[in-house]
Amino acid sequence: MQHFTKAEIRQIKDYYDDLLKIIEPKFSKDRLELIDKAFNFANIAHDGVKRKSGEPYIIHPIAVAIIVTNDLGLGTTSVLSTILHDVVEDTEYSIEDIKNMFGAKVAEIVDGLTKLSGDFDSRQASTLKKMLMTLSDDVRVILIKIADRLHNMRTLESMPAHKQLKIAGETLYLYAPLAHRLGLYAIKNELEDLSLKYKHPEEYNQISYRLHDQEKKRNYLVEEFIKPIKERLEKENIDSTISSRLKSKFSIWEKMQKKGVSYDEIYDLLAIRIVIKAKPGISEKRQCFDILSLVTDIYTPKPDRIRDWITTPKANGYESLHVTVMGPQGKWVEIQIRSERMEQIAEYGFAAHYKYKGINSQEGELEKWLERIREALQNPDSDAFEFLDEFKLNLFASEIIVFSPKGKMFNLPKNSTVIDFAYEIHTDLGNKCIGAKVNQKLVPVSCVLHSGDQVEILTSENQEPKLEWLKFITTAKARTKIKNAFKLEKSKHIEKGKEIVEVALKKVNVTPSSNTLKKITAHFNLANKDQLYSHAGMGLIEIDDLSEILKKKSENRLVKYWKLTFSRKKKERDDNEGSSNIDKKKPFLLKENKNQTSYSLAKCCNPIPGDDVIGYISSKDHIIIHKKECPKAEIFLTSHGERIVTAEWTNFKRLAYLTKITLNGFDRVGIVNEVTNIISKLHNINMRSVKFDTHDGIFEGELYIYVHNARDLQNLIQQLEKIKGIDKISREET
Ligand code: MN
């Protein structure tokens, strides 16, 4: 093996001394000895190995360790793991060796980091998925991995061009969003800027040049702008520092891309930051708002541009008070007001929490975030690409804050709906959700929530998850839960249908052989046994009397062939008429039903006289009446159009005068039944028509009824009001 030169050995020592300078005041003596042991071990393990830049390899883990302790504020376990992070990957030592020398925890983190290393292609989504699964085990693995990536990006110069592009792409795709989500703003900005440098060098150089070019002018303007603020702060004896923050190169570039504007058109290049040393005894929030008041005495604030992230911090822990004011040059300037503690969190995110509270006190929000990752990962359905898209969506999505009726706060991704919120609280609440009251107003399940909304989820025992919910939900949690419920639901229908068929067969004393099932399946024009069961289970077909169906002899093949070949004419007629005894050209008349055909009223939509209805030929001489707007009728119209007949009611009584009642409330199974039941029990009232419209679980009903007098009507309304789910009843004369 080739050993290092004296100069190289000195270089290694210099780096290690830099690390020691930072950690010596922070860590205890035994821990420092352990770190020394790790360094010596890693140094020997990597002996003679060089990076692409020509530097000894060991410099890399030491440089990462400096980031880990200095910028992220992590403790000795992390520093140890970082120093050792490439040993297992690149040398002949194993995880077992690490475990024996440095303990199980360090070995576990090194193992996590080893699994993530290597050359993964950002197109290999499944590798990324695997990586993210490891990431959620111990958050320190993520943090060290981000530090590792930051150092690799800082030293990307020495890599070949194609590797530069690939690594920069990965960084932008995954590491920068991860850093952002963890609140590591400074690192996120640096990762993005470095990625831009390698991905779009020309644009990067142009932006750098312009920023540099205008530096003097900008500094002058900043001085002018903050001068009156500074004076006021001094006069008020407020201990604070004012600095200006330049928009990152990547953010400038991104804005130019997204909005199609030139560099000169970007007006918010600068933000002013006021960081106060909070006085003890007064809340930091109060003190920040005092500064806000002071600033807006000097500069006019832009209406609606005060952002209070102190009262409700962002999910990644960010706290700050933002206000946009009109500067003396006629340009809007953003001012960020925060305490020193908030500043730490803003720069180093959750790592700052570690700094303040130690590694054992897991920040609640971070736990929630990790929980969300774990949930997304548990979704067995999503293929790796879908998963990544969803995951990234969750990473990037800005957050809204909503409140429970008791005032408990919940963070949700933007565009979350009532259903997302319901599932966020509890699976059962989601499954049974029929709508909500948002700020006291009744809204459907699909309603998009906004920050500050107070949401009371309303449920019904009869509610079941709906596939259509998938169209408007946002969170991975809700998606998984609905899909799971639906799988269960489908198998329930099949089970129920199987039971229905078996009971019907028992009635006619037939065993459910595959032959009999085939006969029934064929009779209903269905494809297979499972479809028969699920149709029966969902009530799409009615299986009462099977004797007629089973009596029919199945034709032997020769007869079938003959029929197919020689009776084309008959076949055509059959096709047109659905081979039923029902004349489809004439409307099917209800009540005055002259032919032998029997009919029943569909249980799903409960049509009543006066409704617009259609008939569905369920078997040769039986018709099921559905309301025209019944969802099932809509399915039939599109998939079994040949079985549909028009149907009309022939008569219903006319009484004294016609009144219209409108009902509002939550849809639940059986509610229409209850309404019509109540009306039919009242002798003095007759219905002309009932129309129920349902949108996302909210129904609006219109009853046209004939009543004798107002007392009867009052009586009716009182009874209707007692129905669960009815929210509002109003009447109008017609
Ligand atoms: Mn590394």
Side-chain angles (χ1 to χ4, degrees):
M1 187 188 290
Q2 195 190 332
H3 292 280
F4 290 133
T5 63
K6 266 186 183 163
E8 284 164 340
I9 291 166
R10 200 175 315 120
Q11 197 187 5
I12 294 170
K13 194 171 177 304
D14 284 349
Y15 264 90
Y16 186 57
D17 283 346
D18 283 347
L19 174 65
L20 287 179
K21 247 179 256 158
I22 301 164
I23 59 175
E24 264 168 355
K26 289 207 274 193
F27 300 150
S28 71
K29 226 181 156 199
D30 337 344
R31 298 302 279 171
L32 286 170
E33 269 167 25
L34 206 56
I35 287 172
D36 226 37
K37 186 175 156 194
F39 166 69
N40 288 323
F41 173 65
N43 196 14
I44 291 164
H46 291 298
D47 190 24
V49 183
K50 288 182 181 177
R51 300 191 86 206
K52 281 261 160 35
S53 60
E55 290 175 318
Y57 192 89
I58 185 72
I59 285 174
H60 164 68
I62 296 170
V64 179
I66 290 173
I67 298 171
V68 159
T69 181
N70 197 37
D71 297 337
L72 299 177
L74 298 182
T76 44
T77 307
S78 301
V79 172
L80 284 169
S81 309
T82 307
I83 291 172
L84 301 166
H85 84 267
D86 282 329
V87 166
V88 175
E89 170 81 11
D90 296 338
T91 75
E92 56 217 17
Y93 293 98
S94 69
I95 285 293
E96 273 306 304
D97 297 327
I98 304 273
K99 193 176 167 186
N100 291 336
M101 277 184 276
F102 302 99
K105 194 70 225 176
V106 171
E108 200 185 298
I109 294 174
V110 172
D111 192 34
L113 288 162
T114 305
K115 278 179 190 145
L116 301 184
S117 66
D119 215 23
F120 71 82
D121 195 309
S122 62
R123 278 164 300 169
Q124 285 173 344
S126 59
T127 318
L128 276 172
K129 181 172 176 177
K130 223 183 284 162
M131 162 175 178
L132 288 164
M133 288 204 201
T134 326
L135 286 184
S136 62
D137 287 345
D138 186 324
V139 70
R140 284 175 289 189
V141 178
I142 311 179
L143 294 169
I144 295 168
K145 193 68 198 170
I146 289 172
D148 182 32
R149 177 51 59 119
L150 180 60
H151 185 248
N152 286 334
M153 285 300 291
R154 282 176 180 170
T155 53
L156 201 56
E157 198 70 55
S158 45
M159 284 294 202
H162 72 279
K163 280 236 170 182
Q164 287 176 344
L165 274 179
K166 194 166 98 62
I167 293 170
E170 256 171 41
T171 302
L172 215 50
Y173 183 79
L174 194 67
Y175 289 93
L178 267 175
H180 185 207
R181 198 57 180 74
L182 287 164
L184 306 166
Y185 287 101
I187 289 176
K188 173 218 161 212
N189 283 340
E190 194 180 341
L191 286 174
E192 284 178 345
D193 280 0
L194 286 166
S195 298
L196 182 68
K197 183 178 166 184
Y198 291 98
K199 282 195 86 174
H200 304 282
E202 222 162 276
E203 283 103 322
Y204 176 86
N205 287 334
Q206 270 173 19
I207 293 169
S208 304
Y209 174 76
R210 296 298 294 272
L211 285 174
H212 180 74
D213 193 40
Q214 295 170 341
E215 204 178 332
K216 271 191 183 150
K217 188 185 163 203
R218 204 169 47 233
N219 287 345
Y220 172 75
L221 291 177
V222 168
E223 280 309 312
E224 287 297 297
F225 180 83
I226 61 178
K227 214 180 192 173
I229 302 177
K230 240 182 190 156
E231 282 167 9
R232 274 296 295 278
L233 287 169
E234 269 163 30
K235 217 172 108 195
E236 307 270 337
N237 242 335
I238 295 165
D239 194 354
S240 62
T241 49
I242 306 182
S243 58
S244 65
R245 316 300 297 187
L246 204 52
K247 209 179 183 66
S248 79
K249 288 164 194 160
F250 181 82
S251 306
I252 293 171
W253 175 79
E254 197 181 34
K255 194 155 192 176
M256 286 164 68
Q257 299 299 308
K258 271 188 190 160
K259 306 224 161 150
V261 296
S262 70
Y263 175 89
D264 295 308
E265 290 168 276
I266 293 176
Y267 62 91
D268 57 348
L269 273 182
L270 269 178
I272 302 296
R273 185 173 300 168
I274 305 174
V275 179
I276 55 163
K277 202 175 187 113
K279 289 173 189 152
I282 312 165
S283 80
E284 290 181 11
K285 181 179 161 182
R286 259 282 290 287
Q287 298 182 55
C288 289
F289 270 89
D290 281 348
I291 306 285
L292 172 73
S293 148
L294 191 148
V295 165
T296 51
D297 280 351
I298 302 166
Y299 297 114
T300 315
K302 192 176 184 179
D304 305 326
R305 281 301 297 192
I306 294 176
R307 295 282 151 85
D308 175 9
W309 300 111
I310 299 177
T311 312
T312 49
K314 288 188 187 179
N316 60 19
Y318 183 85
E319 289 176 60
S320 191
L321 189 59
H322 293 187
V323 60
T324 302
V325 301
M326 179 57 79
Q329 291 88 30
K331 282 188 174 175
W332 294 112
V333 180
E334 186 184 81
I335 301 179
Q336 305 165 348
I337 303 163
R338 56 180 74 152
S339 69
E340 281 177 337
R341 180 190 59 85
M342 295 172 195
E343 168 80 353
Q344 283 290 316
I345 294 170
E347 290 292 307
Y348 300 120
F350 283 112
H353 287 284
Y354 286 129
K355 244 182 194 168
Y356 280 102
K357 296 173 185 168
I359 201 86
N360 289 327
S361 75
Q362 291 272 338
E363 212 5 69
E365 287 301 331
L366 175 64
E367 262 310 296
K368 268 187 226 159
W369 178 72
L370 289 172
E371 192 47 45
R372 240 179 246 170
I373 296 182
R374 286 183 200 116
E375 267 155 16
L377 290 165
Q378 273 162 15
N379 188 348
D381 274 355
S382 67
D383 69 84
F385 277 110
E386 192 187 325
F387 160 80
L388 272 178
D389 279 346
E390 236 168 66
F391 178 80
K392 272 188 42 116
L393 216 70
N394 281 341
L395 275 183
F396 280 123
S398 39
E399 308 261 333
I400 57 162
I401 293 148
V402 297
F403 299 91
S404 73
K406 284 184 179 162
K408 201 176 164 212
M409 208 175 84
F410 290 86
N411 287 72
L412 288 171
K414 208 175 155 192
N415 293 325
S416 288
T417 57
V418 166
I419 285 291
D420 287 304
F421 181 60
Y423 278 110
E424 182 66 29
I425 304 173
H426 198 275
T427 309
D428 276 349
L429 218 51
N431 287 340
K432 301 282 176 205
C433 180
I434 53 171
K437 281 198 169 170
V438 171
N439 308 324
Q440 313 295 333
K441 226 185 105 215
L442 211 63
V443 300
V445 286
S446 61
C447 180
V448 174
L449 301 173
H450 297 98
S451 246
D453 281 347
Q454 187 159 41
V455 188
E456 181 187 355
I457 295 295
L458 299 159
T459 58
S460 160
E461 264 316 300
N462 296 321
Q463 179 66 305
E464 283 164 356
K466 303 272 191 301
L467 258 190
E468 70 207 48
W469 291 354
L470 293 174
K471 283 185 217 147
F472 52 73
I473 52 152
T474 297
T475 57
K477 188 173 187 173
R479 186 174 305 278
T480 311
K481 300 267 155 98
I482 294 168
K483 279 188 175 167
N484 286 348
F486 227 78
K487 261 184 238 151
L488 222 71
E489 203 50 40
K490 197 182 166 196
S491 61
K492 255 197 224 159
H493 282 312
I494 290 179
E495 221 165 276
K496 193 175 155 201
K498 194 173 174 209
E499 217 181 285
I500 292 171
V501 172
E502 277 169 5
V503 167
L505 282 171
K506 214 171 185 183
K507 261 194 216 159
V508 290
N509 275 324
V510 179
T511 47
S513 69
S514 69
N515 238 349
T516 46
L517 288 173
K518 256 184 209 156
K519 246 187 211 174
I520 305 168
T521 307
H523 173 81
F524 288 105
N525 262 341
L526 296 167
N528 54 42
K529 197 173 67 182
D530 269 0
Q531 218 179 59
L532 170 70
Y533 288 152
S534 70
H535 272 60
M538 287 191 281
L540 291 174
I541 51 173
E542 282 195 11
I543 297 180
D544 283 334
D545 191 3
L546 290 177
S547 54
E548 282 297 318
I549 298 167
L550 295 171
K551 246 186 246 162
K552 282 193 294 182
K553 281 233 169 101
S554 52
E555 295 156 334
N556 70 38
R557 271 194 217 153
L558 196 66
V559 177
K560 240 185 208 168
Y561 176 77
W562 184 85
K563 275 191 175 169
L564 277 172
T565 320
F566 299 103
S567 62
R568 200 166 283 156
K569 255 194 179 165
K570 184 182 180 296
K571 190 178 176 291
E572 275 165 15
R573 202 175 63 235
D574 284 355
D575 276 354
N576 285 335
E577 298 178 4
S579 72
S580 69
N581 300 328
I582 297 154
D583 182 358
K584 294 205 299 181
K585 293 203 176 86
K586 283 182 193 162
F588 183 75
L589 298 178
L590 303 166
K591 297 263 165 94
E592 281 179 0
N593 187 20
K594 281 175 188 134
N595 38 29
Q596 298 295 309
T597 311
S598 65
Y599 74 89
S600 56
L601 300 175
K603 282 165 190 148
C604 50
C605 57
N606 284 300
I608 60 149
D611 280 344
D612 279 339
V613 288
I614 55 156
Y616 172 72
I617 305 169
S618 80
S619 65
K620 246 184 177 173
D621 39 24
H622 187 82
I623 289 181
I624 301 174
I625 303 299
H626 287 266
K627 294 207 308 207
K628 260 188 190 160
E629 64 267 29
C630 169
K632 267 180 204 166
E634 273 167 27
I635 295 172
F636 293 146
L637 277 168
T638 49
S639 61
H640 298 287
E642 77 286 352
R643 290 186 172 202
I644 299 294
V645 287
T646 54
E648 276 173 14
W649 306 96
T650 52
N651 65 341
F652 42 93
K653 273 184 202 161
R654 289 186 178 270
L655 281 164
Y657 55 88
L658 188 62
T659 298
K660 181 185 170 191
I661 292 181
T662 52
L663 304 163
N664 281 298
F666 289 109
D667 191 29
R668 61 179 174 83
V669 178
I671 193 164
V672 178
N673 233 339
E674 280 187 56
V675 171
T676 52
N677 258 339
I678 284 174
I679 296 170
S680 61
K681 271 184 202 146
L682 297 171
H683 295 298
N684 297 325
I685 290 175
N686 267 26
M687 256 181 295
R688 196 187 88 173
S689 72
V690 175
K691 202 179 127 204
F692 276 87
D693 269 335
T694 310
H695 294 291
D696 297 327
I698 301 278
F699 80 77
E700 242 186 54
E702 282 180 6
L703 302 175
Y704 283 93
I705 48 174
Y706 287 106
V707 289
H708 285 298
N709 55 47
R711 205 190 54 217
D712 289 345
L713 185 62
Q714 206 45 48
N715 183 20
L716 170 70
I717 288 174
Q718 276 171 11
Q719 299 230 27
L720 291 176
E721 272 170 348
K722 284 181 199 154
I723 296 174
K724 211 177 121 206
I726 300 266
D727 193 61
K728 210 173 111 199
I729 302 175
S730 54
R731 57 172 278 213
E732 22 182 304
E733 310 302 333
T734 53

